[in-house]
Amino acid sequence: MSDKAEQLKILKEIFKEDFEEIDAGVRSGGDTTLFEVTSIEGVAIPEGLTIIVNFDNGKKLGWAGPSSPLYTSDRFDERFKGNLNIFVMKKKKVLKQIHTTYNQETFKKRADTYSFQEILDSVES
């Protein structure tokens, strides 16, 4: 499984609702994919809002030379399992940002821990 596919699989487990997504690029400073949520089962995304999700699974870049990154599956700390990042945006303005760090215990309990509906209900657009 590619790292991108692994990240998306974890995101699909974390959210209560099923969702469709498109690739929205790579997170700066890392090697993890950003996903734009395009539709959510049973939830209407308000006009003009964009939802970006990312799961940084704690894998690091190694360096093969002074300027060439070499991807490795090693982690800095095996207890660290990753970071969840959720951004609700209107144009380029971030209306809500959620950042959650997962360790071994919290990662085991990740299933259905976030709801897009609850997140959108908490946003004032």
Side-chain angles (χ1 to χ4, degrees), residues 53-92:
V53 294
N54 165 262
F55 190 82
D56 173 356
N57 57 4
K59 296 185 179 176
K60 66 180 180 180
L61 288 174
W63 295 97
S67 62
S68 60
L70 172 67
Y71 183 77
T72 175
S73 62
D74 296 334
R75 297 177 192 271
F76 289 113
D77 182 346
E78 280 301 317
R79 295 168 295 179
F80 172 76
K81 294 299 182 186
N83 290 314
L84 170 67
N85 297 291
I86 306 166
F87 302 93
V88 179
M89 304 171 64
K90 188 171 194 173
K91 296 187 181 179
K92 293 191 181 238

Side-chain angles (χ1 to χ4, degrees), residues 2-125:
S2 76
D3 201 47
K4 178 179 173 177
E6 179 184 353
Q7 293 164 26
L8 185 57
K9 178 181 175 288
I10 292 168
L11 286 166
K12 298 269 185 175
E13 293 169 352
I14 288 172
F15 288 98
K16 292 178 182 177
E17 303 93 349
D18 287 331
F19 64 94
E20 298 295 321
E21 77 295 324
I22 57 172
D23 190 321
V26 177
R27 187 162 186 240
S28 64
D31 191 33
T32 57
T33 304
L34 296 168
F35 298 97
E36 179 180 341
V37 177
T38 56
S39 66
I40 306 164
E41 184 179 340
V43 179
I45 300 173
E47 182 84 25
L49 293 188
T50 303
I51 302 170
I52 303 290
V53 294
N54 165 262
F55 190 82
D56 173 356
N57 57 4
K59 296 185 179 176
K60 66 180 180 180
L61 288 174
W63 295 97
S67 62
S68 60
L70 172 67
Y71 183 77
T72 175
S73 62
D74 296 334
R75 297 177 192 271
F76 289 113
D77 182 346
E78 280 301 317
R79 295 168 295 179
F80 172 76
K81 294 299 182 186
N83 290 314
L84 170 67
N85 297 291
I86 306 166
F87 302 93
V88 179
M89 304 171 64
K90 188 171 194 173
K91 296 187 181 179
K92 293 191 181 238
K93 180 181 179 187
V94 176
L95 302 176
K96 182 162 189 90
Q97 177 179 354
I98 296 171
H99 174 86
T100 302
T101 298
Y102 288 87
N103 62 27
Q104 289 174 330
E105 288 305 310
T106 55
F107 191 74
K108 288 178 193 173
K109 301 172 189 172
R110 70 187 175 277
D112 297 332
T113 53
Y114 280 93
S115 164
F116 284 114
Q117 183 66 64
E118 292 170 7
I119 292 167
L120 289 170
D121 287 348
S122 71
V123 172
E124 295 199 19
S125 57

